Every structure is written in C-alpha cells, then in structure tokens.
Amino acid sequence: MLVSAKEMLTKAKAGHYAVGQFNINNLEWTKAILQTAQECNSPVILGVSEGAGKYMCGFKTVAAMVKAMVENLKITVPVALHLDHGSYEGAKACIEAGFSSIMFDGSHYAIDENVAKTTELVAICEEKGISIEAEVGAIGGEEDGVVGAGECADPNECKMIADLGVTMLAAGIGNIHGKYPANWAGLSFETLAAVQEKTGAMPLVLHGGTGIPAEQIKKAIDLGVSKINVNTECQLAFAAATRAYVEAGKDLKGKGFDPRKLLAPGVEAIKATVKEKMELFGSVNKA
Ligand code: 13P
C-alpha cells in the first residue's frame, strides 16, 4: 500500500531528520530503492518526473508497477509515490492514476496564478488524503530539459503558499539540480532560517540533493528541512558501475550480456547510494 507523505514528514520534522526522495526511471531503479528502504527500515518517497512517467508508459503504469512491487517484495516501511515537479495537468493525471503524493511546481507562474492553482489542488488532495508539495523560488539547474536559475525564495511568498494548506514546501535556497559548479556559493542558510521562521511546522523540502556537502545537508536538516530529493547521484553511480562492467569486458564472458547480469552492478551502485543518503539524512530505523 502507498501512503501520503504527510505523516512521515511530520515525524521527520519533529525528530530532526529528513526523508529521502529518490527518483525512479524504470523497474530496476524502483526495486533497488524499495529494497534498500526496507533493509534500512526507513520511510521513502519515490519521485517520478513527468518525463520519467512518459518513459515508463504513463502514470497509471507507474502506479500499478509500484503497488504490485511493494506487495511482491513484502515492503512494510512507509512508501509514498510522488510526482516530481508536476505541471497542473500532470498533477491531476497522477491523482487520477493513484499516486499518493504530488508536487505542483507553480514557481514559473505569477504568484497570484500559483496561489489559485495550488488552492484548487490542495482541496482535491485533502479530499483524497494525498500529500501535496508546492515550490517557491525556482530551483536552478536542468531538469527534464527545463533550465532554472537557482533563486532564493521570498520568505513572505513562502508563508503565503504554506498557508494554503500544502503538506510540504520547496523553497529555493541557492540549490540547483544536477552537478554543482566549482564556484557554487553553497546553500543560503539565511534564507532557509527566514523561511523556517515564517512557515513554522511546515516540512521544508531541499531539491538538488546531489553534490551538497554533508555538513550543509546536516545544517539544512537542523534548520527545518525534512525531505531531500536525490536523482543525479543515483544516475551517476549507475552509469559508472555499468561502464566499469563493460570496460572490463564482463559482458563478453559467459552470459554477461544477459540484461539481468549487465544491469546488476548498476543496481548495486544505486542501493549503496540510497543507503548512504538514508544514513546521512538520519532516516534509518525511523519507519
Ligand atoms: P538532483 O538530481 O540534483 O539530485 O536533484 C533531484 C531533485 O531535486 C528532484 O526534484
């Protein structure tokens, strides 16, 4: 069974740890993350971007796969299936498809339109017991071909959106998706503290979890971050392990070309990355 992210994030905020959102791209990714969450006895959020949803044959296919996998693998830790950076239409499609959590990224709309659309989606989610994440201040970097500039959110706008009744709020604090440039200034803890002061108990979300130094992650959690998104780091780990396997010529020996064997090192690399993040975020044994 899939659960809303509300309870796991309320507990995380109170307990001063963060729940990881790990993005899924296919069956192997999903299985690796679910098995690691179970092994770590950690709650987990599976993130699905609109592009990944399309790749996996639509949100209904994704929801059916994840639900069946949770049952088949006998996963007992809380699992939320979450739309990552959803459009207004994508959010509605995921609610329809059986996702237990959505993100409506209205950060590119003018604030009035962001408020109107978020209000409508909050009402639908409330009725269905689904959690909803909103974003204020675009997160920089590239995701699904959309390039943002890495802003710091206005704490007053954050309060306005938080008061609409969203479950969690992603506020830009200088974080970006993908790899951080060598001259990156780091997270703006000043912005984070100001947002936290305005939004109180609201769980805050940190996007762009790949490549943020561990001390900054810990400080962000201390200052109210309860959900951290990681995507690129799993992709890099998967690619490196697959490359090493092929470069060593292992795909040419025996049945090394069998996809189950060929993908196995990458899967193990994803598991190791997810475990390391769960330990860093403090969510191990918090299920
Ligand atoms: P990274 O790809 O930088 O880890 O960011 C993931 C993310 O924020 C998904 O929304």
Side-chain angles (χ1 to χ4, degrees):
M1 200 185 79
L2 302 175
V3 297
S4 143
K6 191 182 173 94
E7 192 183 331
M8 62 172 93
L9 293 181
T10 307
K11 281 189 187 161
K13 180 106 184 179
H16 303 288
Y17 60 92
V19 178
Q21 173 192 305
F22 301 95
N23 285 47
I24 58 171
N25 295 283
N26 58 21
L27 180 144
E28 284 76 13
W29 236 257
T30 312
K31 184 176 168 188
I33 297 165
L34 287 175
Q35 286 180 325
T36 309
Q38 185 69 26
E39 184 195 315
C40 291
N41 192 29
S42 165
V44 72
I45 298 169
L46 302 178
V48 181
S49 69
E50 295 210 357
K54 218 181 258 176
Y55 175 79
M56 290 185 276
C57 305
F59 297 130
K60 281 190 186 162
T61 307
V62 177
M65 175 182 77
V66 173
K67 283 178 193 172
M69 219 182 256
V70 164
E71 192 184 313
N72 179 276
L73 295 171
K74 298 188 170 49
I75 302 294
T76 55
V77 297
V79 178
L81 178 61
H82 180 76
L83 170 65
D84 190 27
H85 290 282
S87 63
Y88 175 74
E89 295 76 23
K92 287 196 163 173
C94 282
I95 293 169
E96 178 80 11
F99 276 47
S100 62
S101 189
I102 57 155
M103 173 183 190
F104 169 54
D105 181 355
S107 62
H108 53 283
Y109 289 111
I111 188 75
D112 289 351
E113 193 164 3
N114 192 356
V115 166
K117 289 195 157 59
T118 304
T119 305
E120 186 199 337
L121 290 169
V122 164
I124 300 172
C125 288
E126 216 158 73
E127 197 201 315
K128 295 188 180 282
I130 294 172
S131 46
I132 173 166
E133 175 179 341
E135 174 173 328
V136 180
I139 315 278
E142 183 179 339
E143 193 167 64
D144 271 355
V146 181
V147 181
E151 297 169 15
C152 282
D154 174 346
N156 290 318
E157 278 188 17
C158 290
K159 171 148 178 61
M160 196 195 296
I161 298 286
D163 286 349
L164 300 177
V166 297
T167 319
M168 52 200 141
L169 185 74
I173 55 168
N175 43 327
I176 60 172
H177 292 119
K179 286 180 173 176
Y180 285 85
N183 61 352
W184 179 53
L187 297 176
S188 169
F189 293 114
E190 206 182 337
T191 306
L192 179 54
V195 170
Q196 163 62 33
E197 204 203 318
K198 293 270 182 193
T199 57
M202 169 74 47
L204 300 175
V205 183
L206 182 63
H207 282 248
T210 297
I212 301 177
E215 326 79 72
Q216 293 194 37
I217 292 278
K218 285 187 180 152
K219 192 163 175 188
I221 294 172
D222 279 348
L223 288 171
V225 164
S226 338
K227 171 175 178 276
I228 302 177
N229 296 1
V230 178
N231 180 30
T232 305
E233 201 160 332
C234 289
Q235 295 183 345
L236 290 170
F238 182 86
T242 309
R243 194 182 317 115
Y245 180 85
V246 172
E247 281 177 358
K250 292 189 181 165
D251 56 322
L252 302 174
K253 290 184 197 130
K255 280 210 160 216
F257 52 83
D258 175 344
R260 291 176 231 164
K261 288 200 165 61
L262 182 60
L263 297 178
V267 165
E268 288 310 310
I270 293 173
K271 285 184 177 174
T273 305
V274 170
K275 187 171 182 208
E276 186 193 308
K277 295 296 161 196
M278 287 178 166
E279 284 166 357
L280 174 63
F281 301 167
S283 70
V284 173
N285 286 328
K286 295 292 191 333

